[in-house]
Amino acid sequence: MNARPGLGQLGLSAGQKTRLHRILYQHGLRNGTALFLPYDQGLEHGPRDFFANPAASHPKYVIDLAIEGGFNGIAIQIGLAEKFYWEYAGEVPLVLKLNGKTDIPSAIDPLSPLNATVEDAVRLGADAVGYTLYVGSPAQEHDFAQYLRVREDARRLGMPLIVWSYPRGSAIDAKGGKDSFYAVDYAARTASELGADVVKVNFPHPEKSFDVPQPYAADFSSQQAIEAVVRSANRTLLLVSGGERAGDEAMLEKARQSMEAGATGLIFGRNVWQRDHSESLRFAAALREILAKHPA
Amino acid sequence: MNARPGLGQLGLSAGQKTRLHRILYQHGLRNGTALFLPYDQGLEHGPRDFFANPAASHPKYVIDLAIEGGFNGIAIQIGLAEKFYWEYAGEVPLVLKLNGKTDIPSAIDPLSPLNATVEDAVRLGADAVGYTLYVGSPAQEHDFAQYLRVREDARRLGMPLIVWSYPRGSAIDAKGGKDSFYAVDYAARTASELGADVVKVNFPHPEKSFDVPQPYAADFSSQQAIEAVVRSANRTLLLVSGGERAGDEAMLEKARQSMEAGATGLIFGRNVWQRDHSESLRFAAALREILAKHPA
Amino acid sequence: MNARPGLGQLGLSAGQKTRLHRILYQHGLRNGTALFLPYDQGLEHGPRDFFANPAASHPKYVIDLAIEGGFNGIAIQIGLAEKFYWEYAGEVPLVLKLNGKTDIPSAIDPLSPLNATVEDAVRLGADAVGYTLYVGSPAQEHDFAQYLRVREDARRLGMPLIVWSYPRGSAIDAKGGKDSFYAVDYAARTASELGADVVKVNFPHPEKSFDVPQPYAADFSSQQAIEAVVRSANRTLLLVSGGERAGDEAMLEKARQSMEAGATGLIFGRNVWQRDHSESLRFAAALREILAKHPA
Amino acid sequence: MNARPGLGQLGLSAGQKTRLHRILYQHGLRNGTALFLPYDQGLEHGPRDFFANPAASHPKYVIDLAIEGGFNGIAIQIGLAEKFYWEYAGEVPLVLKLNGKTDIPSAIDPLSPLNATVEDAVRLGADAVGYTLYVGSPAQEHDFAQYLRVREDARRLGMPLIVWSYPRGSAIDAKGGKDSFYAVDYAARTASELGADVVKVNFPHPEKSFDVPQPYAADFSSQQAIEAVVRSANRTLLLVSGGERAGDEAMLEKARQSMEAGATGLIFGRNVWQRDHSESLRFAAALREILAKHPA
Amino acid sequence: MNARPGLGQLGLSAGQKTRLHRILYQHGLRNGTALFLPYDQGLEHGPRDFFANPAASHPKYVIDLAIEGGFNGIAIQIGLAEKFYWEYAGEVPLVLKLNGKTDIPSAIDPLSPLNATVEDAVRLGADAVGYTLYVGSPAQEHDFAQYLRVREDARRLGMPLIVWSYPRGSAIDAKGGKDSFYAVDYAARTASELGADVVKVNFPHPEKSFDVPQPYAADFSSQQAIEAVVRSANRTLLLVSGGERAGDEAMLEKARQSMEAGATGLIFGRNVWQRDHSESLRFAAALREILAKHPA
């Protein structure tokens, strides 16, 4: 297990520390862990993600769920933030997701274009911004250029920057895929190297070792893998994402291993709201129970 | 049927609310619904669209029609706005269309380039701006970048932003086409996620289910489809566009279903002015009759 | 009587014409005349002005009065506009007053400093901006410099500019005072020379002829004086202000002579709201009756 | 025949109107028509265009010709304007051509890059600027972006904008070619939609109907075609360009039909100066005779 | 007699030369001389200047007079230019006066504040800008700073700069007054030293020699004085102003001596329009007769 770094150790500016402190110690369990509800799938996948639970199509339903379920923040795009967040105004922290794309065209060399700015986030009272970086994409030249401006604005304005660090593109597909230990580990390190304050990664799958670079082809347990990933992130706080809907027990085990490894928290969307309301709350409670065992 | 959201619920700034209020409650039926006359086909398709009714080639004829027919606004490009709107000066609200393109080159990866700015709209006394977003286009990277600046200027200057949210491009063609329920639903949601105040969509065709993603392959009525689309738009007011000239009864049925589903209004161009003058007015009156049954 | 110039003759841009058309033909009597309610006395004189009718201390009371009384616009400072206008959003046109001052320090060389911008006015959905120019003030150097920027922004953004053209300062006091025919006439002309679209002046008092320049020392009736003032304003539309509370009949006579002389309208504040509610409405109705006799 | 619109109807700013008035009423025939001499072929085609009359290689020769021949303006690039126009200083109006290209690389997706600014034109005392828009080019995205800045500068500085509206590129070639009625008609409309004050088009060839969109495949006379093109330009004044050197009678007939159709004038270069001096003047006189029959 | 310098000798940019050529050779007598009508007295002195001929209060009357009287230009402030010049659009050249002040406060240390910019002049289609410089004023520090920006803008935009070079202030009063030979001579030279293209001066009075510096205390004829003043202006073209209304013969003699001395022209306002219409035209004709004897 890695010791989770304290906010005072991260080289944060006063504003970034203030906003992260608000997320980690004044919401949710108030113990330095975090459970986020991401809700950008309407853009990333389209409304089909809401067919399992049509109520979840409505942003108000989901924000209410975040509050009732004791989440530390909700991550949404500018449009929903403009239209819905004013009504909640600080009841749950806002993570403004700055970029996004539809999944309609092919994603051989993906890039997630900006549709909002750090200044929008300040204006809306957000406590963090989110940026999707497609690690390994042939389009990394544009991605890094775009990211650079975001990071600079975030630093200048004291806004914590959460990087959705996602291995993607043809080269990733050719080297073990997007959730191999190799790819996730590299993504965590990339975010740290590029100045993310918080990084969101998929849970690593060490068993997906076909075609990965040699050092990752050995025999690792998933606990070993996630611990290595947290180490790669070093002073970048790490969130593990839930990804597609899967079995509850598998998800909770992922969460347990992640927290055990020193992650700061979880960011689970579809596994939370693609079921009916009481089931959503029950599952969130189970996640919180895990976080409660890992105070800062 | 969805309840149409009130202007006070949309997170609008004072200026955006003032201008939308003017459109919805001080023109047309003054009941919170809207009937717009779009007149950018001279650029988008060329003068061939006016061969059915040559009088409609003249912008003055069409603006006069908008006033006589009790429309809530007219959507035109900068050139016609500069040359003709000064003469009307507020008699009918101006929606300045900020981008557009000719249909001469192929549209595999379409992008609609800007030819005017939000500041132009302010200067001309417009009450809204229009932007065409080609949802699903491989060019979405440039489209989003261009859109971002428009959205920020619109918000800064209190100008309502109407997004022509159009599924287009090779990937859309490969997944059921531009007016499938899938494509229209995704387009409505995308506009909402990206911060449109109003979205203009085509009427969805649930029967075009070949090659669409699985959840949309089921059996939906067109009423169910348009209701889902309105839900996907949530707090973005929705306008249904008329598209190509078609049979009157089919168009009116589309209009009825849209308003029943909670749409805010209609934006019908060719179906209005591609016929002689008295027929245009008669058809507009029929549309207004439908709107009259759906006060806010 | 002078012919009132039409909006098409004033060299207005499309946006300025649109916004003035809205004020003059889509609100109030809709006949090209205007009755404005100014409500900046809380800044200019302090709350003492509300002691006569404490209800008038509340901006909501006064805006409601403007709507109920059929006014063509309400002129307020940025703070009240931000806090109250969103609720009305276009029901009555907003004139954003861009400068103002307290009357606490002496006014030997008065200057009214800016506290808002034309862009604020655009953002809030205003239909005009107001600027106080202290004609004759030794501080005219700063006043003109400040005014120049306002005029250019107003022209650039298509916003009508209403100049409160007020003779003030020690030199004015030494030459017959602020409401002499000489001073008011010079003020009207100055606003026209400097590019105001609309000018607000006090009613001229030709009988105050002591110490005025020789040509004004002759015997003029007040009707002759106000006609000369309207001529001096030429293509700048002229509003006559009410000033301090006075007897109703005297005020109505002022209004009658002004409209007869070719003024576009009246801007009466204290005479309207420094009395109880029904009396305010009754007096506004009397003013409207006069305007109704002078359609454009 | 269409009525030619007056300068007061075009929504022009004072400066645009002043400069157009100067071109149309203070030079040439002073009757509201215009004959321009374009002289940018040295860039567009290279010196080969001057082999027919080597004297025409010298800009001074051509400007002298413009003055002697009673032209309303000369259209040149920045270099010749800097080097030669100071000597003439207002004797003949200057149209500064802002973009241009060599014809050395292929023109599958042509774009004419800027080499001067509207501010250059102001500085040199020009009375209009010219911009080549390649209608239908796959590069329209960059073209429109470049054009947008020119249009805004022109409007801001009161400078009339003449658009060389040229159908070009592979898609045009596949749909009937650059001087089909379809292409020229679309080009005229595009310039009007995008805010040109004046548009320069090729004379339309309705007989080139192979592969054009269906409505243009019918039987039109050239008189009908040019009348339709003038209608498509509506309040954008239209100039017909001469194009390549051709037989005099054919050119004069083109000119007659254009003026009959409501064009404002002609812009003939190679047909004027690709012959010896006295022949050039004789041909210009013949063109002026035609213009003289069509006063505004 | 001094030889009047030609436009090609003045170091002018192409645009400045074009615009001056237009004024000097395309309007008025078209012989290189100029007769200007200044009409800023409504601001500088107030409407009292119009009491002698009330019709002259209306700017339209005065611009019509300038055209009918064959003037080479009219000098007005921004407000009248915006409201009236669009109607004339180039029929008579516009000189936009950029600064001005009321005469209400005392003028011990006068400064004429800017109320318009060179860019306004460009936008309105003006052919020159005017700037009042108070030579000798204790406020010269602010005056020069303000002037510097105007001169730079004028040069950058190719706009001729006419300086109203007026000796004023307590120090001038103490040294012989504002129209002594000493003061006028110094003012002409100052304008030339500071980069004026054209300078407007009062006619010098060598007989006002009390308190002037010693070299000017000698016995000079007025012809000698005006010749010296023209020499002081060197390559700055010189205009003699009319000043207050005076006897016709005295004015014409002033004009004769000025032109004889090498002045480029005259700028006479009150002496022209402070009389009835036919008298105004008769007097202008007499002035033109004098100019006709001094072609360039």
Side-chain angles (χ1 to χ4, degrees):
Chain A
M1 177 184 171
N2 308 291
R4 205 183 302 136
L7 289 185
Q9 295 177 271
L10 306 181
L12 297 168
S13 73
Q16 289 175 312
K17 193 178 160 210
T18 296
R19 290 181 174 92
L20 279 179
H21 185 272
R22 197 179 290 144
I23 291 172
L24 296 172
Y25 295 99
Q26 296 182 338
H27 288 272
L29 292 169
R30 298 162 182 261
N31 70 346
T33 65
L35 181 61
F36 288 96
L37 194 61
Y39 185 62
D40 59 350
Q41 296 83 356
L43 177 62
E44 297 287 345
H45 313 138
R48 68 181 154 90
D49 271 18
F50 310 128
F51 279 54
N53 176 22
S57 163
H58 205 291
K60 199 167 161 44
Y61 170 89
V62 176
I63 306 178
D64 284 338
L65 189 62
I67 292 170
E68 209 179 343
F71 282 74
N72 296 67
I74 182 152
I76 51 181
Q77 301 280 345
I78 183 72
L80 304 193
E82 294 273 19
K83 291 181 184 67
F84 292 90
Y85 193 65
W86 62 271
E87 223 179 314
Y88 296 91
E91 287 181 51
V92 61
L94 170 64
V95 178
L96 186 68
K97 190 72 199 322
L98 302 185
N99 60 351
K101 62 174 189 54
T102 72
D103 69 353
I104 302 172
S106 92
I108 290 174
D109 53 353
L111 176 77
S112 183
L114 287 174
N115 58 59
T117 64
V118 180
E119 208 170 281
D120 281 323
V122 169
R123 177 171 59 82
L124 288 162
D127 281 322
V129 291
Y131 181 91
T132 296
L133 188 79
Y134 285 129
V135 177
S137 170
Q140 75 182 342
E141 179 184 340
H142 295 126
D143 206 0
F144 281 28
Q146 189 175 252
Y147 169 81
L148 165 57
R149 292 194 309 274
V150 168
R151 184 189 52 71
E152 290 200 315
D153 288 346
R155 172 62 55 170
R156 178 171 57 85
L157 294 165
M159 184 62 71
L161 170 55
I162 306 179
V163 171
W164 271 231
S165 199
Y166 282 176
R168 284 289 190 288
S170 49
I172 288 290
D173 294 342
K175 293 183 180 175
K178 66 187 185 180
D179 54 0
S180 71
F181 174 21
Y182 160 67
V184 173
D185 201 24
Y186 206 155
R189 183 74 191 197
T190 298
S192 170
E193 297 272 350
L194 296 191
D197 300 308
V198 182
V199 61
K200 177 194 185 203
V201 293
N202 288 320
F203 194 85
H205 286 255
E207 74 281 9
K208 298 198 178 172
S209 60
F210 190 71
D211 281 337
V212 301
Q214 192 272 332
Y216 290 91
D219 210 35
F220 297 101
S221 70
S222 60
Q223 185 66 48
Q224 285 174 313
I226 185 64
E227 286 189 358
V229 170
V230 171
R231 266 198 310 278
S232 291
N234 50 73
R235 285 185 175 167
T236 297
L237 303 179
L238 188 136
L239 305 175
V240 172
S241 92
E244 287 181 27
R245 181 78 196 276
D248 280 12
E249 191 35 50
M251 295 308 295
L252 293 173
E253 180 54 24
K254 234 199 231 192
R256 270 190 290 266
Q257 292 189 10
S258 300
M259 295 309 292
E260 188 63 30
T264 289
L266 308 167
I267 176 159
F268 278 32
R270 283 168 287 174
N271 281 283
V272 170
W273 47 254
Q274 278 185 345
R275 47 175 109 203
D276 78 30
H277 190 254
S278 59
E279 279 301 292
S280 293
L281 289 175
R282 195 196 50 70
F283 185 67
L287 293 172
R288 280 161 56 92
E289 243 176 70
I290 294 167
L291 297 190
K293 292 180 181 139
H294 297 275
Chain B
M1 178 182 171
N2 308 289
R4 205 185 300 139
L7 288 186
Q9 293 177 271
L10 307 181
L12 297 168
S13 74
Q16 289 176 311
K17 194 178 159 210
T18 295
R19 290 180 174 92
L20 280 179
H21 182 272
R22 197 178 287 146
I23 290 172
L24 296 173
Y25 295 98
Q26 297 180 336
H27 289 270
L29 291 170
R30 298 164 182 261
N31 71 346
T33 65
L35 182 61
F36 289 96
L37 195 60
Y39 185 61
D40 59 349
Q41 295 84 355
L43 176 62
E44 297 287 345
H45 313 137
R48 68 180 156 91
D49 271 18
F50 310 127
F51 279 54
N53 175 23
S57 164
H58 205 292
K60 201 168 159 45
Y61 171 89
V62 176
I63 306 179
D64 284 337
L65 189 62
I67 291 171
E68 209 180 343
F71 281 74
N72 297 67
I74 182 151
I76 51 181
Q77 300 281 345
I78 183 73
L80 304 192
E82 294 274 16
K83 291 181 184 67
F84 293 89
Y85 193 64
W86 63 270
E87 222 178 314
Y88 295 90
E91 287 182 49
V92 61
L94 170 64
V95 178
L96 186 68
K97 190 74 200 321
L98 301 185
N99 60 351
K101 62 173 189 56
T102 71
D103 69 354
I104 302 172
S106 92
I108 290 173
D109 52 351
L111 175 78
S112 184
L114 287 175
N115 58 58
T117 64
V118 180
E119 206 171 282
D120 281 322
V122 168
R123 174 172 61 81
L124 288 162
D127 280 324
V129 291
Y131 181 92
T132 296
L133 188 79
Y134 284 129
V135 176
S137 170
Q140 75 181 342
E141 178 185 339
H142 296 125
D143 206 1
F144 282 28
Q146 190 175 250
Y147 169 82
L148 165 57
R149 292 194 310 272
V150 168
R151 183 189 54 71
E152 291 205 313
D153 287 346
R155 172 66 51 174
R156 178 172 57 84
L157 293 165
M159 185 62 72
L161 171 53
I162 305 180
V163 171
W164 272 230
S165 201
Y166 281 176
R168 284 291 187 287
S170 48
I172 287 290
D173 294 341
K175 294 182 182 176
K178 67 186 184 178
D179 55 2
S180 72
F181 174 21
Y182 159 67
V184 173
D185 200 24
Y186 206 154
R189 182 77 189 196
T190 297
S192 170
E193 296 271 349
L194 296 191
D197 299 308
V198 182
V199 61
K200 177 195 185 203
V201 293
N202 288 318
F203 194 85
H205 286 255
E207 73 281 8
K208 299 201 178 171
S209 59
F210 190 71
D211 281 337
V212 301
Q214 190 273 330
Y216 290 91
D219 211 34
F220 296 101
S221 70
S222 60
Q223 185 68 48
Q224 286 173 313
I226 184 65
E227 287 189 356
V229 169
V230 171
R231 266 198 310 278
S232 290
N234 49 75
R235 287 184 177 168
T236 296
L237 303 179
L238 188 134
L239 305 175
V240 171
S241 91
E244 287 180 27
R245 180 79 196 274
D248 279 12
E249 193 33 53
M251 295 308 296
L252 294 172
E253 181 56 24
K254 232 198 233 196
R256 271 188 289 267
Q257 291 190 9
S258 299
M259 296 309 294
E260 188 64 31
T264 288
L266 308 167
I267 175 159
F268 278 33
R270 284 168 286 174
N271 281 282
V272 170
W273 46 256
Q274 279 184 344
R275 48 175 109 203
D276 79 33
H277 190 253
S278 59
E279 279 301 291
S280 293
L281 289 175
R282 197 197 48 71
F283 185 66
L287 293 173
R288 281 162 56 93
E289 244 176 69
I290 294 167
L291 297 189
K293 291 180 181 136
H294 297 274
Chain C
M1 180 183 168
N2 307 290
R4 206 185 297 140
L7 288 186
Q9 295 176 269
L10 307 182
L12 298 169
S13 74
Q16 290 176 311
K17 194 178 158 210
T18 296
R19 290 179 174 93
L20 279 179
H21 183 272
R22 199 178 286 144
I23 290 173
L24 295 173
Y25 294 97
Q26 297 180 338
H27 288 271
L29 291 170
R30 298 163 182 263
N31 71 346
T33 65
L35 181 61
F36 288 96
L37 195 60
Y39 184 62
D40 59 349
Q41 296 83 355
L43 176 63
E44 297 286 345
H45 313 140
R48 68 181 155 91
D49 271 18
F50 308 128
F51 280 54
N53 175 20
S57 162
H58 203 293
K60 200 167 160 44
Y61 170 88
V62 175
I63 305 178
D64 283 337
L65 188 62
I67 292 171
E68 209 179 343
F71 282 74
N72 295 68
I74 182 153
I76 51 181
Q77 300 281 347
I78 184 72
L80 304 193
E82 293 275 16
K83 291 181 181 66
F84 291 89
Y85 193 65
W86 64 270
E87 219 177 319
Y88 295 90
E91 287 181 51
V92 62
L94 171 63
V95 178
L96 186 67
K97 191 72 199 321
L98 301 185
N99 60 352
K101 61 172 189 57
T102 70
D103 68 354
I104 303 173
S106 92
I108 291 175
D109 52 352
L111 176 77
S112 182
L114 286 174
N115 58 56
T117 65
V118 180
E119 205 171 282
D120 282 322
V122 168
R123 178 173 56 83
L124 287 162
D127 281 322
V129 291
Y131 181 91
T132 296
L133 188 80
Y134 285 129
V135 176
S137 170
Q140 76 181 340
E141 176 185 340
H142 296 124
D143 206 1
F144 281 27
Q146 186 175 255
Y147 170 82
L148 165 57
R149 293 195 309 273
V150 169
R151 183 189 55 73
E152 290 206 313
D153 287 345
R155 172 67 48 173
R156 179 173 55 84
L157 294 165
M159 184 64 71
L161 171 54
I162 306 179
V163 171
W164 271 231
S165 201
Y166 281 177
R168 285 288 189 288
S170 47
I172 288 291
D173 294 342
K175 295 181 182 178
K178 68 187 184 180
D179 54 2
S180 72
F181 174 20
Y182 159 68
V184 173
D185 200 25
Y186 205 155
R189 182 78 188 196
T190 298
S192 171
E193 296 271 350
L194 296 191
D197 300 307
V198 182
V199 61
K200 178 196 184 203
V201 293
N202 288 319
F203 193 86
H205 286 256
E207 73 280 9
K208 300 199 179 173
S209 60
F210 189 71
D211 281 337
V212 301
Q214 189 273 331
Y216 290 91
D219 210 35
F220 297 101
S221 71
S222 59
Q223 185 68 47
Q224 285 173 315
I226 182 67
E227 285 188 358
V229 169
V230 171
R231 266 198 311 277
S232 290
N234 49 74
R235 287 185 176 167
T236 296
L237 304 178
L238 188 135
L239 305 175
V240 172
S241 90
E244 287 180 29
R245 181 78 197 276
D248 280 12
E249 193 33 53
M251 296 307 295
L252 294 173
E253 181 56 23
K254 230 198 236 196
R256 267 189 292 266
Q257 292 190 7
S258 300
M259 296 308 294
E260 188 64 31
T264 288
L266 308 168
I267 175 159
F268 277 34
R270 285 167 285 173
N271 281 281
V272 170
W273 47 255
Q274 279 184 347
R275 46 175 110 203
D276 81 31
H277 190 253
S278 59
E279 279 300 292
S280 294
L281 290 175
R282 195 197 50 71
F283 185 66
L287 293 173
R288 280 162 56 94
E289 244 175 71
I290 294 168
L291 297 190
K293 290 180 182 137
H294 296 276
Chain D
M1 177 181 170
N2 308 291
R4 204 183 302 139
L7 289 185
Q9 293 177 271
L10 307 181
L12 297 169
S13 73
Q16 290 176 310
K17 196 179 158 211
T18 294
R19 290 178 174 93
L20 280 179
H21 183 272
R22 198 178 288 147
I23 290 172
L24 295 173
Y25 294 98
Q26 297 181 337
H27 288 271
L29 291 169
R30 298 164 182 262
N31 71 346
T33 66
L35 180 62
F36 288 96
L37 194 61
Y39 185 61
D40 60 348
Q41 295 85 354
L43 176 64
E44 297 286 344
H45 313 138
R48 68 179 154 91
D49 272 18
F50 309 128
F51 279 54
N53 175 21
S57 164
H58 203 292
K60 198 165 160 47
Y61 171 89
V62 176
I63 305 179
D64 284 337
L65 189 61
I67 291 171
E68 209 179 344
F71 281 75
N72 296 67
I74 181 152
I76 51 181
Q77 299 282 346
I78 183 73
L80 304 193
E82 294 274 18
K83 291 182 183 64
F84 292 89
Y85 193 65
W86 63 271
E87 220 178 318
Y88 296 91
E91 287 181 49
V92 61
L94 170 65
V95 178
L96 186 68
K97 191 73 201 322
L98 301 185
N99 61 351
K101 64 172 187 54
T102 72
D103 68 354
I104 303 172
S106 91
I108 291 174
D109 52 352
L111 176 78
S112 183
L114 287 173
N115 58 57
T117 64
V118 180
E119 206 171 283
D120 283 323
V122 168
R123 176 172 57 81
L124 288 162
D127 280 323
V129 292
Y131 181 92
T132 296
L133 188 79
Y134 285 129
V135 176
S137 170
Q140 75 181 342
E141 178 185 339
H142 296 123
D143 207 1
F144 282 28
Q146 188 175 253
Y147 169 82
L148 165 56
R149 292 195 309 273
V150 169
R151 182 188 56 71
E152 290 206 313
D153 287 346
R155 172 66 49 175
R156 178 173 55 83
L157 293 165
M159 184 62 71
L161 172 53
I162 305 179
V163 171
W164 271 232
S165 201
Y166 281 177
R168 285 291 188 285
S170 48
I172 287 290
D173 295 340
K175 294 181 182 177
K178 67 186 185 180
D179 54 2
S180 72
F181 175 21
Y182 160 67
V184 174
D185 201 24
Y186 206 152
R189 182 79 188 195
T190 297
S192 170
E193 297 269 350
L194 296 191
D197 300 307
V198 182
V199 61
K200 177 195 185 203
V201 294
N202 288 319
F203 194 85
H205 286 255
E207 74 280 9
K208 299 200 179 173
S209 60
F210 190 71
D211 280 339
V212 301
Q214 191 271 332
Y216 289 91
D219 211 33
F220 297 101
S221 70
S222 60
Q223 185 68 48
Q224 286 174 314
I226 184 66
E227 286 189 357
V229 170
V230 171
R231 266 199 309 278
S232 290
N234 48 75
R235 288 185 176 166
T236 296
L237 303 179
L238 188 134
L239 305 175
V240 172
S241 91
E244 288 180 26
R245 182 77 197 277
D248 279 11
E249 193 33 52
M251 296 307 295
L252 294 172
E253 180 57 23
K254 230 198 232 195
R256 270 188 290 267
Q257 291 190 10
S258 300
M259 295 308 294
E260 188 66 30
T264 289
L266 309 167
I267 175 160
F268 277 33
R270 283 168 287 173
N271 282 280
V272 170
W273 46 256
Q274 279 184 346
R275 47 175 110 202
D276 77 33
H277 190 254
S278 59
E279 279 301 291
S280 293
L281 289 175
R282 197 197 48 73
F283 185 67
L287 294 172
R288 281 161 56 92
E289 243 175 70
I290 294 167
L291 297 190
K293 291 183 182 134
H294 296 276
Chain E
M1 179 183 168
N2 308 290
R4 206 185 299 138
L7 288 185
Q9 297 175 269
L10 307 181
L12 297 168
S13 74
Q16 290 176 312
K17 192 178 159 211
T18 295
R19 290 180 174 92
L20 279 180
H21 182 272
R22 199 177 285 144
I23 290 173
L24 296 174
Y25 294 97
Q26 297 181 335
H27 288 271
L29 291 170
R30 298 165 182 262
N31 70 347
T33 65
L35 181 61
F36 288 97
L37 195 61
Y39 185 61
D40 59 347
Q41 296 83 355
L43 177 62
E44 297 287 344
H45 314 138
R48 68 181 155 91
D49 271 17
F50 310 127
F51 279 54
N53 175 21
S57 164
H58 204 292
K60 201 168 161 42
Y61 171 89
V62 175
I63 306 179
D64 284 336
L65 188 63
I67 291 171
E68 211 180 341
F71 282 74
N72 295 68
I74 182 153
I76 51 181
Q77 300 281 345
I78 184 72
L80 304 193
E82 293 274 17
K83 291 181 183 66
F84 292 88
Y85 193 64
W86 64 270
E87 223 178 315
Y88 295 90
E91 287 181 50
V92 61
L94 170 64
V95 178
L96 186 68
K97 190 72 199 321
L98 302 184
N99 60 351
K101 61 173 189 55
T102 71
D103 68 354
I104 302 172
S106 91
I108 291 174
D109 52 351
L111 176 78
S112 183
L114 287 173
N115 58 58
T117 64
V118 180
E119 206 171 283
D120 282 322
V122 168
R123 177 172 59 81
L124 288 162
D127 281 322
V129 291
Y131 181 91
T132 296
L133 189 78
Y134 285 129
V135 177
S137 169
Q140 77 181 341
E141 177 183 341
H142 296 125
D143 205 2
F144 281 27
Q146 191 176 249
Y147 170 82
L148 165 57
R149 293 195 310 274
V150 169
R151 184 188 52 71
E152 291 200 315
D153 287 346
R155 173 63 52 171
R156 178 173 56 83
L157 294 165
M159 185 61 73
L161 171 55
I162 306 179
V163 171
W164 271 232
S165 201
Y166 281 177
R168 284 288 189 288
S170 48
I172 288 291
D173 295 342
K175 294 182 183 176
K178 66 187 184 180
D179 54 2
S180 70
F181 175 21
Y182 159 68
V184 173
D185 201 26
Y186 206 155
R189 182 77 189 195
T190 298
S192 170
E193 297 272 352
L194 296 191
D197 299 308
V198 182
V199 60
K200 178 196 185 203
V201 293
N202 288 319
F203 194 84
H205 286 255
E207 72 281 9
K208 299 198 178 173
S209 59
F210 191 70
D211 280 339
V212 300
Q214 191 273 331
Y216 290 91
D219 209 33
F220 296 102
S221 71
S222 59
Q223 184 68 48
Q224 285 173 314
I226 183 67
E227 286 189 359
V229 169
V230 171
R231 266 198 311 280
S232 291
N234 50 75
R235 288 187 174 166
T236 296
L237 303 178
L238 188 134
L239 305 175
V240 171
S241 91
E244 286 181 29
R245 181 78 196 276
D248 279 11
E249 193 34 53
M251 295 308 295
L252 294 172
E253 180 55 25
K254 231 198 235 195
R256 269 189 291 265
Q257 292 190 9
S258 300
M259 295 309 293
E260 188 64 30
T264 288
L266 307 167
I267 175 159
F268 277 32
R270 284 168 286 173
N271 281 282
V272 171
W273 47 254
Q274 278 184 347
R275 45 176 110 202
D276 79 33
H277 191 251
S278 59
E279 279 300 292
S280 293
L281 289 175
R282 197 196 49 72
F283 185 68
L287 294 172
R288 280 161 57 93
E289 245 176 71
I290 295 168
L291 297 190
K293 293 182 181 137
H294 297 275

